[in-house]
Amino acid sequence: MNRIEGRVKVTGLATYAAEYPVEGVTYACAVQSRIARGRVKRVDAGPALELPGVLAVLSCEDPPPLAEDADPELALFQSREVAYRGQIVAAVVADTYERARAAAGAVRVDYDPGDHDVTLRMDHPGLYRPEVVNPGYPADTEKGDVEAGLAAAATTVDVVYETPVLHNNPMEPHAALAYWDADGRLMVYDTAQGSSTSRNMIARTLGLPREQVRVVSRHVGGGFGSKGTTRPQAILAALAARAVGRPVKIVLTRQQMFDVTGHRTPTIQRLRLGADAGGRLTALEHVAYVQTSTLVEFAEQTAVPARVMYATPALRTAHRVVRLDVATPSWMRAPGECPGMYALESAMDELACAAGLDPVELRIRNEPETEPDSGLPFSSRHLVGCLREGARRFGWEHRDPRPGVRREGEWLIGTGVAASTYPARRAPSKALAKVLDDGDILVQVGAADIGTGARTALTRIAATALNVAPERVHVELGDSDLPDGPVAGGSMGTASWGSAVVRACEELVKDGKEGRADTTDEVRKEAELARHAFGAQFAEVRVSAVTGEVRVSRLLGVFACGHIVDAKLARSQFIGGMTMGIGMALMEETLTDEEFGGFLHRDLAQYHIPVCADVRDVEAYWLDEQDDALNPMGAKGIGEIGIVGTAAAIGNAVFHATGHRVRDLPITPAKVLRNTE
């Protein structure tokens, strides 16, 4: 299917959060901390209030009422403590955006600064073991004797990999437009990956009942996790609208987004692997070091995918976290699996080289019968099929395994492979389906379309369930007044909303007029199985021996993700994920300012992401996978698995091209030349 909303998007008719026409709108602009740690001594709003058009200045000098248990990142102006550089310490409301921004620059903030610490390192004295890692996994697991397994191994690898701070950069900036109606109900147009979840968090933060808040997010211009939780601009718009008695709009600048909309924590990961003479693992240890803020603990589940991938009699995974004077990390496309599988799949490549084995064959030899950590049976697992099909399509059999031997002029050419995985989850959801006067069907669900094609997928799911043409189905989403739906995240949106839509359509067939569904009990009672999607990525790179430049000349992925609801949407998601993986491998990083705190890369001129010219040949394929233990559609999430193995495949290809391993991302020309000198 073509996208349901395609025409309104390409003609500019789709309305995003900052574009809703509201009479009497005013504008807010945030004032951010210039120190990384300390206290606000005084906020002098006088110079700003003297400027024309300025309506109010919000700050800790007169804290607005919020709930006592408000999330510390959202508890605006409730404390004088500064937890990180860039934290919102005041805000100005004016009758135009230009006046608000000018007045924000006129607000004078005096600080009592303290010493700050913003650097993650393996020997940091503040490292500790969290109780759980995102979203609720145990921090550590251990099975068997790792030390004995390593001692008995014929080949061992002991390596450390590092990934930098990464930032989501959706096309649409984070924005909110809020107003209070005559009955005291709050209306928020928000850039949210879930209108229901955003409503719940806004209501909780403001100390309001849920029914007193409505959130609308009909179109969202990308998110990648950064819009998966409520961000400060939504709370600021609501507080400002209450203060001035008029609608308030706020759109964060690209620079502000780097400070207050989350980031992927940097990671330091130590991998120890051992294999016997036949290439079968005897031990696997994966320890991850990550950072969080002093405000909120967010421990990314970096080592969790090692619990899923390979058969081994001894397996240990661990996470250590340190609280630093930085903003709170958050979700970024495939959190945990993305950086964790980069390190694991790079280490597996090193093990294959050390053992003299083909990297594809090594992975196949270590295919488990059940999930290695839990022992649960897989609902379905076709990683071996993905590896073999990918190798066939890529022409892997023609590969010379020796590194650094293939060359065309100044260009060294290499190929690499990596496996990928991501959980196949679903969450409880509600939906309504009813027959309209003209005989068409209206489907309502609190889903979110963040550019992934949710409207189209849900239209197809409903049409299939009702055995009608898709043109007769009309899907409404992106409004918290619709039946509650979970966030568009964790690659569980389609599985969750789609389950509710199917059940509602089944009830509609029985009733003839209307059907309602709530899948809470269905999800709670589902059998305990290991549910995961799997894939394999193959990369060919060209590395300049003169400049160190790396070009990805070919990238191919094969995936096993259950039933594919729509081929066009699926291909787009897989290719999008792999393209983002190219950025992770070669370009993306946010440098931290150790002297002053905060981030040095703050816009798209400094934070580089792939463009069309960087991605010459990307192919995505999938296996037909039947899995009846998932949901009514038999579908697994596809939004995130595309990125998971890509960086490792490219890194492994760079090693094959040059004979030198770069273990800290991104793989820049300077690092390539440094390692080949």
Side-chain angles (χ1 to χ4, degrees):
M1 289 177 61
N2 290 324
R3 296 204 179 207
I4 299 297
E5 79 284 8
R7 184 178 183 277
V8 297
K9 282 186 174 178
V10 300
T11 56
L13 298 176
T15 306
Y16 293 83
E19 300 174 337
Y20 284 87
V22 176
E23 291 186 4
V25 68
T26 61
Y27 300 83
C29 187
V31 178
Q32 297 178 268
S33 169
R34 296 296 185 93
I35 64 171
R37 182 183 179 187
R39 285 180 57 85
V40 174
K41 291 197 297 185
R42 185 174 73 105
V43 177
D44 183 2
L49 291 170
E50 292 175 358
L51 296 176
V54 175
L55 303 175
V57 175
L58 286 70
S59 76
C60 59
E61 299 293 348
D62 184 17
L66 291 179
E68 292 184 0
D69 63 346
D71 183 302
E73 284 280 10
L74 302 179
L76 300 178
F77 320 127
Q78 302 301 293
S79 170
R80 292 182 179 271
E81 299 296 324
V82 175
Y84 58 90
R85 186 179 179 92
Q87 183 176 347
I88 297 174
V89 294
V92 174
V93 186
D95 58 358
T96 70
Y97 170 73
E98 292 78 11
R99 286 175 168 176
R101 190 164 183 176
V107 175
R108 298 172 182 168
V109 183
D110 295 329
Y111 301 98
D112 183 11
D115 295 334
H116 62 263
D117 182 3
V118 295
T119 305
L120 172 69
R121 61 183 196 270
M122 289 178 68
D123 61 350
H124 196 291
L127 285 165
Y128 67 95
R129 182 179 70 182
E131 290 188 13
V132 297
V133 294
N134 178 64
Y137 295 108
D140 295 4
T141 62
E142 188 162 2
K143 179 188 75 173
D145 189 332
V146 169
E147 299 302 332
L150 292 171
T155 306
T156 61
V157 167
D158 185 345
V159 286
V160 174
Y161 284 87
E162 297 185 32
T163 61
V165 172
L166 298 176
H167 273 88
N168 301 287
N169 271 287
M171 186 181 298
E172 177 200 21
H174 290 64
L177 171 58
Y179 63 87
W180 300 77
D181 66 20
D183 296 325
R185 193 181 193 210
L186 173 63
M187 176 71 182
V188 183
Y189 296 102
D190 190 19
T191 48
Q193 290 179 222
S195 55
S196 302
T197 52
S198 181
R199 173 206 58 200
N200 296 347
M201 182 55 77
I202 292 172
R204 173 189 164 188
T205 304
L206 298 178
L208 300 173
R210 293 179 181 180
E211 59 270 16
Q212 200 171 332
V213 179
R214 181 184 179 192
V215 172
V216 171
S217 304
R218 293 195 179 96
H219 295 282
V220 181
F224 312 110
S226 68
K227 298 172 184 174
T229 56
T230 301
R231 296 299 177 186
Q233 86 281 346
I235 304 301
L236 179 54
L239 295 177
R242 185 164 61 188
V244 301
R246 290 171 60 180
V248 172
K249 178 189 298 188
I250 178 171
V251 180
L252 298 183
T253 66
R254 183 66 60 178
Q255 291 80 7
Q256 290 172 333
M257 288 167 59
F258 276 76
D259 295 322
V260 298
T261 65
H263 62 273
R264 195 196 297 282
T265 174
T267 73
I268 304 171
Q269 302 175 58
R270 185 183 182 191
L271 277 295
R272 294 197 297 162
L273 285 70
D276 62 20
R280 290 173 177 81
L281 289 171
T282 59
L284 193 164
E285 181 185 58
H286 190 169
V287 182
Y289 302 85
V290 300
Q291 71 185 32
T292 189
S293 72
T294 59
L295 292 175
V296 179
E297 180 186 275
F298 180 88
E300 183 148 317
Q301 68 277 29
T302 309
V304 165
R307 304 170 187 175
V308 174
M309 288 304 297
Y310 300 114
T312 177
L315 172 64
R316 177 176 180 261
T317 65
H319 298 82
R320 297 295 179 264
V321 184
V322 61
R323 291 184 177 273
L324 299 176
D325 302 310
V326 298
T328 306
S330 185
W331 303 335
M332 184 173 181
R333 199 173 197 164
E337 279 73 15
C338 188
M341 286 292 283
Y342 158 69
L344 175 60
E345 291 302 293
S346 299
M348 285 291 286
D349 195 71
E350 296 208 41
L351 183 65
C353 293
L357 290 172
D358 178 81
V360 172
E361 179 61 26
L362 175 68
R363 289 167 172 83
I364 293 174
R365 290 187 187 186
N366 288 282
E367 176 72 2
E369 294 183 2
T370 60
E371 189 177 57
D373 180 60
S374 69
L376 290 172
F378 290 100
S379 64
S380 59
R381 177 181 170 117
H382 292 96
L383 173 58
V384 171
C386 292
L387 287 164
R388 287 178 171 157
E389 178 66 10
R392 183 187 70 81
R393 289 181 176 273
F394 193 75
W396 188 260
E397 71 275 13
H398 303 302
R399 179 183 193 257
D400 186 331
R402 296 173 300 165
V405 298
R406 186 178 170 196
R407 185 165 184 160
E408 294 179 2
E410 73 177 74
W411 296 97
L412 301 166
I413 302 171
T415 53
V417 63
S420 53
T421 188
Y422 200 78
R425 305 186 184 100
R426 64 171 173 162
S429 182
K430 299 178 182 178
L432 168 67
K434 62 182 179 181
V435 179
L436 300 173
D437 292 341
D438 61 0
D440 283 0
I441 294 91
L442 174 65
V443 174
Q444 296 179 320
V445 58
D449 195 330
I450 59 175
T452 53
R455 281 182 181 82
T456 309
L458 293 174
T459 297
R460 187 165 195 137
I461 288 169
T464 301
L466 295 169
N467 195 26
V468 300
E471 292 76 17
R472 291 188 55 200
V473 177
H474 309 280
V475 173
E476 288 186 0
L477 49 72
D479 189 333
S480 65
D481 277 0
L482 299 174
D484 284 358
V487 68
S491 288
M492 64 180 182
T494 299
S496 304
W497 312 317
S499 295
V501 167
V502 169
R503 300 306 183 214
C505 289
E506 290 172 348
E507 292 301 313
L508 172 61
V509 171
K510 295 177 184 177
D511 181 79
K513 294 182 179 180
E514 182 177 289
R516 294 180 180 271
D518 182 345
T519 62
T520 301
D521 288 341
E522 179 180 330
V523 172
R524 185 175 61 242
K525 294 177 182 177
E526 62 186 7
E528 191 174 5
L529 295 169
R531 297 176 173 87
H532 304 275
F534 292 94
Q537 281 98 328
F538 293 78
E540 179 185 85
V541 301
R542 300 168 65 86
V543 183
S544 171
V546 178
T547 66
E549 176 188 357
V550 179
R551 295 183 181 179
V552 179
S553 48
R554 281 198 300 153
L555 188 59
L556 182 148
V558 178
F559 304 95
C561 296
H563 171 66
I564 298 300
V565 174
D566 185 273
K568 186 179 291 186
L569 294 177
R571 182 177 181 274
S572 176
Q573 284 299 294
F574 290 138
I575 288 178
M578 287 192 288
T579 303
M580 201 167 175
I582 294 174
M584 176 183 176
L586 302 180
M587 308 168 191
E588 295 186 48
E589 66 174 331
T590 306
L591 298 180
T592 301
D593 189 332
E594 295 187 4
E595 183 176 0
F596 296 106
F599 298 120
L600 292 172
H601 291 174
R602 298 175 55 80
D603 56 39
L604 293 176
Q606 299 167 311
Y607 187 96
H608 296 167
I609 59 175
V611 297
C612 292
D614 294 311
V615 189
R616 192 180 78 181
D617 187 359
V618 185
E619 300 176 78
Y621 304 94
W622 51 87
L623 306 180
D624 291 326
E625 186 177 59
Q626 181 71 29
D627 192 333
D628 297 326
L630 297 169
N631 47 66
M633 302 81 63
K636 298 178 180 179
I638 60 174
E640 293 171 281
I641 193 171
I643 191 178
V644 171
T646 302
I650 293 171
N652 295 338
V654 170
F655 167 78
H656 184 239
T658 64
H660 299 277
R661 183 82 58 175
V662 178
R663 297 190 180 97
D664 56 321
L665 294 183
I667 303 171
T668 61
K671 292 176 185 177
V672 170
L673 294 177
R674 179 191 69 198
N675 281 274
T676 55
E677 289 176 352

